[in-house]
Each structure stands twice: as C-alpha cells, then as structure tokens.
C-alpha cells in the first residue's frame, strides 16, 4: 500500500472526493473516451451515467475479474500486481454512481489474486479508505470479494451477478440491462479490471492527456497477452491503433523457429482468426470487429503453419459446448451440432455440403441465443471459414490436413536420416516404434495413434508428418 | 470414506448465513476435503437455510466442485488456447496413457487425479501442467512422466 501511495496512489480518489461532483467525474470519464476492456467496448462513462440516473434504493459497483478467455492473463497480473489500482478505480466509480457496496468477482483459478486483493482491502479499511465517511467526507463504500467457481459463462454480466448472489450462473435475456436491473435487481455498474484500473490515472492526468494516446475512437492503451507460436511471449501494453505486424514482429520478435505466420486469434472464444493479409490492420475496437474478430479482453494467440485452422475452430467450439450453461436451445444444441460437423471434417468424413450447413446453423445460433456466449460463439468458425476456406476444402476433398495435426488425416514416417538414438521408442506410449541403436527406426502403422510424441522428441528432424 | 466434520463449523463461522455465502462455503469445503461430501452439503443447506436441491444445483453447475473424492495429488493439464496450440493434447495423451486413466479420473491407488482446465493464467509458459499447486511451464514430452513420479 505504501508503494502505491508513493506513486500518487489514492490522489485521484482524494481529488474526486474533495474537488469534483459525481457528474464532473462522469463527464471526465466520458470525455476521456475510455471504453470497456472486457470485450464489448462500451463507453465506461456513459454506463456510469445511465446507472447514476436511475433512482433506486441501492446501487452496486462490480469489478469483473473472471477472465474466462483461455489464453489470456492480463487481468490476473493486474489484480496480483496492482490491487490498489483496481480498488481505487472502483471507489471512484462508486462515488460517481452513488454506490455504497462493491464486489470484485475473481476467477477461481487465481488464488494469488484473491490473497493480494484481500490484503489490499484490509489495508484500506484500516486506513479509512474503505468504510464509513472516507477521507472525512460523507462518501461511504465497502468492497467484498466473490470468488468464481470455474464457469466461463459467469463472465457474462447477468450470469456473474447471479453467481455473486450464490446462485447458478445462468444468464438472462439481454433486453433487461444490468445497469438498470443488476445485482439483486438494483442498478449495477459492471466493469472489467483493466477498465477500472485506467480510471485513477485519467482523473489524475486529465481526459485530454488520456485522449492523446491511442486513436480517436479507441483511446488509451490496451494490455494484450501475446502468446502461442511467437518468439517472445508475455504481456504487452501498447497504444491503441498499433498494427498487428508491429506487435507480432517488432515486439514479439516474429514467429518461433522462423516458421511462416498463419493467423492470429483475438477475442477468445467470441473472436476470430485474422490472416496474414491483414497484418497491417490497426488494433482498435472497431477495426477488429469489422474483420469478424473482436478486441475481447486481449488474448492474442499467434499461429504458424503447423497449427491447423480447422482444429482451432473445433477447439473453440468444444470449449463453448462445455461452457454453455444449457439454458437456451440455440446455443446448447446449435454449438453442439457445429462441433459435431467439425469433428466429422477433421476425421476425413466431411462433405462439401457441410460447409454450407455450418454457415446456416451459425447464423441461427447467432440470432437465437440468449447471451453473448451463443451470439458470438460461431465467430471462430465463421472467421476461419471466411479466410481459410482452402484449408477446410483440403480436409474435405483431399482428405489431408496441411498442418499435420488432425490424426485421421496424417501419417508419421521415419526418414533415412534417423540416427538410431532410440529417444522416440520410450516416448511412444503405444509400442509402435521399433529399432536398434544406430539403426533407422520404423513405425508400425497400425499401432500408431498419431499422437505426435515421436515428432516432439526427435532432435534430428527425422520424423515426417504427411 | 470417513471424515472429520468438526471443521465444517469453522468454515460456517467465517461467513454470514445467507445464500450469498454459498459458493464461498462450498469452495472452502472443497479445499478441505478435496471434494464435496454429501453430508457436508446437507449441513450447508441447514445452516444457510437454502434448500438442498439448490445446494446440489450450484455444486454441479460449477466446474470447481466435485462430488467424488479425488486423489492425493491433482494433476491439471491446461488446455487453454495457448497451451492447446503448443501441444497440450499430446501431454494429455501421454499422462492418460502413463497413469492408465482418462482426464477426470483418479488412479486406483488414489495417488493422482487427472484433470483438464481451460487456462491457468500462465499462458506465456505454455504448455502448462499444474501438479498439486506447483506450476510447470514449457513442459516437454520427455519431462512429462517425471511430473507424476510416485513419491
Ligand atoms: C460469455 C461471456 C463471457 C465474458 N467473460 C468476461 C470476462 O471474463 N471478463 C470480463 O471482463 N468481461 C467478460 N464478458 C463481458 C462482460 O459481460 C461485460 O461486458 C464486461 O465485464 C463489462 O465491463 P467493461 O465495460 O469494462 O468491458 C463476457 C461476456 C460474455 C457474453
Ligand atoms: S492457455 Fe494454458 S495457461 Fe493460459
């Protein structure tokens, strides 16, 4: 806590409490152009304004730290590394909308984040930054932590609020907005961790300063989790509007082992894959949506020529089928059928008419689903169909997986340059490889399950996947 | 299996007796016993005055809860996107084969439970396998069996 105060921590809180009215705070945030970092990109200030203007007994502020997007860990590092920044952001939001109680919803997989936030809350309570009459004003606010329990759909606003209340996290139809009727049916502001952590800085340095970073419609910076087949993996914070090429090649150092770039996936299970031809695309909310992906929470997964695009689509659908809460039929059954079709294609039994079937079904799922999970669920499939149709056709017509991933469509062979080192023999869990020391080994094809273990352990590039 | 249910009282005492505490209490029970014993659920229902059916529906909805006992060490294979792309499937295959169980199952000697989880938030070191509460990054096929050496 001392460190946080040492870097101007809680200065912004003092400023709003002593020098600004709630409306001034909201105007400042609207003016800064800050948009929600949790996926939707809705203006944070406008959300606060709607919430504040609703007359109700209670208002709530909730911080969304569910970070369900697999392959992303920005919010984890913020909650672990800068818990006070999150708290201060929440306090300012609470002051602006008139909330007395707040919750932070943290993903179950992040125990360290919970520990750090608990400590930060305790420190604040002890020093009078949380509780009654904060800093001698009549503003009172308390924060509780609600731990998630491993359900992706609970990142969705209405499901999250059910979960906070100790219920099963099923979303409800979106025509009832949670800003109007949220937690316990009271008006509730739900913001992502990264959105809130931007707030104190905006208040301290001013909206104009914030606007000077990024692009006109997407202001400020964004944290991405740059992972996958890229040389330097990790978290990066970049100004909005930077191009994908700059991120992947300048910051990421290019593709692992200098292999060819294939695609970059953004937006998690609701997003899409972006092909090489679009590497010069500026990264902001609107450009990404335009090409059929989305900003999402900031996962950025780089793929090379050994990543099979159909397999990736299948992977996301499988994830969504698992995580669909099952309440509405289009999502529960539609995603299931899409996944079945993809399995069929990956196993070499696909027909050309399946592509059309998937397109039609995707559309229905998008229109008919209750919440964002289903509405955007077919995105990974649609975007890959759009940009990588050839790869689908290769699976269907030629019965080949060009990336060498789908087991039913590939074979493993040992080449003559095998040194006979015997490394692959114990690695194979199926006794499919035979050979003596310093002699070329052989794979018994009808025992081979195409798991790829031999390929992974071979140091001499002697295994051919085709 | 016999359990010492006296610990439950300590868990209940930590929270206000409302439904809002349900998930937190279940998490503590899960942590204490590695799963949710039926008797503990019944007590929870009584203490919070929440119908048992509701306690069960919450227990089965969320992935973190398990109604069956787990092994001494839980081995979690991350199958999040970053790990998937860097070969999580192969690690899963190797571990399943090696321990002779499928993901979600426990070895007969109750030593290991194998689970898959979508992202543990350490994607920069993909592929990740978590054994107990130790994170192992950039796991290679040649190393993976060593992670589950019976100690
Ligand atoms: C299925 C689904 C999962 C979501 N998961 C998350 C999440 O993990 N973290 C998050 O901040 N927002 C998530 N969202 C978005 C939230 O519903 C909500 O829009 C967001 O938290 C609002 O905060 P923001 O305006 O600051 O972005 C999810 C939405 C859907 C439909
Ligand atoms: S995808 Fe495995 S740690 Fe995130």
């Amino acid at each position: 806590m001392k460190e946080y105060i040492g870097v101007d921590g809680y200065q912004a809180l003092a400023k709003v409490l002593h020098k600004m009215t709630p409306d001034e705070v909201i105007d400042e945030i609207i003016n800064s152009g800050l948009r929600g970092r949790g996926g939707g990109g809705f203006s944070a200030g406008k959300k606060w304004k709607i919430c504040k203007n609703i007359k109700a007994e209670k208002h709530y502020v909730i911080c969304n730290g569910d970070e369900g997007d697999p392959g992303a860990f920005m919010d984890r590092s913020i909650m672990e590394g800068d818990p006070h920044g999150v708290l201060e952001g929440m306090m300012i939001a609470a002051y602006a909308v008139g909330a007395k109680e707040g919750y932070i919803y943290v993903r179950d997989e992040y125990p360290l984040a919970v520990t750090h936030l608990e400590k930060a809350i305790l420190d604040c309570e002890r020093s009078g930054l949380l509780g009654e009459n904060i800093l001698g004003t009549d503003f009172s606010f308390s924060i509780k932590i609600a731990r998630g329990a491993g359900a992706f759909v609970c990142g969705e606003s209405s499901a999250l609020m059910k979960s906070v209340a100790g219920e099963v996290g099923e979303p409800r139809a979106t025509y009832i907005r949670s800003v109007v009727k949220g937690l316990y049916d009271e008006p509730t502001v739900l913001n992502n961790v990264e959105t809130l952590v931007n707030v104190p800085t905006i208040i301290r340095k001013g909206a104009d300063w914030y606007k000077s970073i990024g692009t006109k419609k997407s202001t400020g910076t964004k944290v991405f989790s740059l992972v996958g087949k890229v040389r330097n993996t990790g978290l990066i914070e970049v100004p909005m509007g930077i191009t994908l090429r700059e991120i992947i090649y300048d910051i990421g150092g290019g593709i692992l082992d200098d292999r060819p770039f294939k695609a970059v996936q953004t937006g998690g299970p609701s997003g899409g894959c972006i092909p090489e031809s679009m590497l010069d695309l500026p990264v902001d909310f609107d450009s990404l949506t335009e090409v059929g992906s989305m900003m999402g929470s900031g996962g950025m997964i780089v793929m090379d020529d050994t990543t099979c695009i159909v397999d990736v689509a299948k992977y996301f659908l499988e994830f969504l089928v698992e995580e669909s809460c099952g309440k509405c039929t289009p999502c529960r059954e539609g995603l299931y059928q899409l996944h079945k079709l993809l399995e069929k294609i990956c196993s070499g039994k696909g027909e050309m008419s399946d592509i059309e079937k998937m397109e039609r079904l995707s559309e229905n799922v998008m229109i008919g689903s209750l919440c964002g999970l289903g509405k955007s669920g077919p995105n990974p499939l649609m975007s890959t169909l759009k940009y990588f149709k050839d790869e689908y056709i290769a699976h269907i017509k030629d019965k080949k997986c060009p990336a060498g991933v789908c087991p039913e469509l590939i074979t493993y062979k040992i080449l003559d340059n095998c040194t006979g080192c015997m490394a692959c023999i114990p690695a194979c869990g199926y006794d499919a490889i035979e050979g003596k020391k310093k002699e070329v080994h052989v794979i018994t094809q009808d025992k081979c399950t195409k798991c790829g273990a031999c390929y992974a352990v071979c140091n001499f590039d002697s295994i051919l996947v085709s | 299996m016999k359990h010492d249910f006296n610990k439950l009282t300590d868990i209940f005492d930590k929270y206000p007796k409302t439904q809002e505490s349900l998930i937190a209490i279940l998490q503590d029970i899960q942590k204490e016993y590695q799963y949710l014993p039926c008797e503990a659920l019944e007590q929870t229902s009584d203490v919070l005055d929440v119908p048992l059916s509701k306690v069960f529906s919450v227990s089965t909805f969320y992935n973190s809860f398990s109604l069956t006992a787990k092994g001494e060490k839980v081995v979690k294979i991350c199958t999040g996107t970053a790990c998937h792309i860097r070969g999580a499937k192969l690690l899963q295959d190797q571990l399943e084969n090696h321990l002779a169980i499928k993901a979600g199952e426990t070895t007969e000697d109750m030593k290991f439970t194998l689970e898959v989880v979508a992202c543990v938030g350490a994607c920069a070191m993909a592929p990740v396998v978590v054994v107990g509460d130790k994170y192992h990054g950039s796991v290679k096929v040649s190393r993976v069996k060593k992670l589950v050496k019976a100690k």
Side-chain angles (χ1 to χ4, degrees), chain A residues 215 224 238-247 251 280-284:
Chain A
T215 67
F224 287 101
V238 292
M240 296 273 195
I242 187 172
T243 65
L244 286 167
R245 189 183 300 279
E246 285 171 288
I247 292 181
I251 303 173
D280 292 308
L281 192 78
V283 176
D284 61 57

Side-chain angles (χ1 to χ4, degrees), chain B residues 64-103:
Chain B
S64 325
F65 301 134
S66 156
L67 294 174
T68 47
K70 288 190 185 175
E72 261 166 60
K73 276 219 169 123
V74 178
V75 181
K76 289 185 187 155
I77 307 164
C78 175
T79 55
T81 321
C83 293
H84 176 78
I85 292 200
R86 285 209 178 185
K89 267 257 155 62
L90 175 56
L91 297 181
Q92 185 182 340
D93 190 73
Q94 291 264 316
L95 284 174
E96 286 182 341
N97 201 344
H98 183 66
L99 295 174
I101 48 171
K102 292 266 169 243

Side-chain angles (χ1 to χ4, degrees), chain A residues 36-38 47 64 67-68 152 155-157 190-192 195 372-373:
Chain A
R37 302 297 197 241
K47 194 188 271 183
N64 190 343
E67 192 156 66
F152 172 69
E156 196 275 340
S157 52
L190 173 72
N191 274 130
N192 167 264
T195 317
L373 190 146

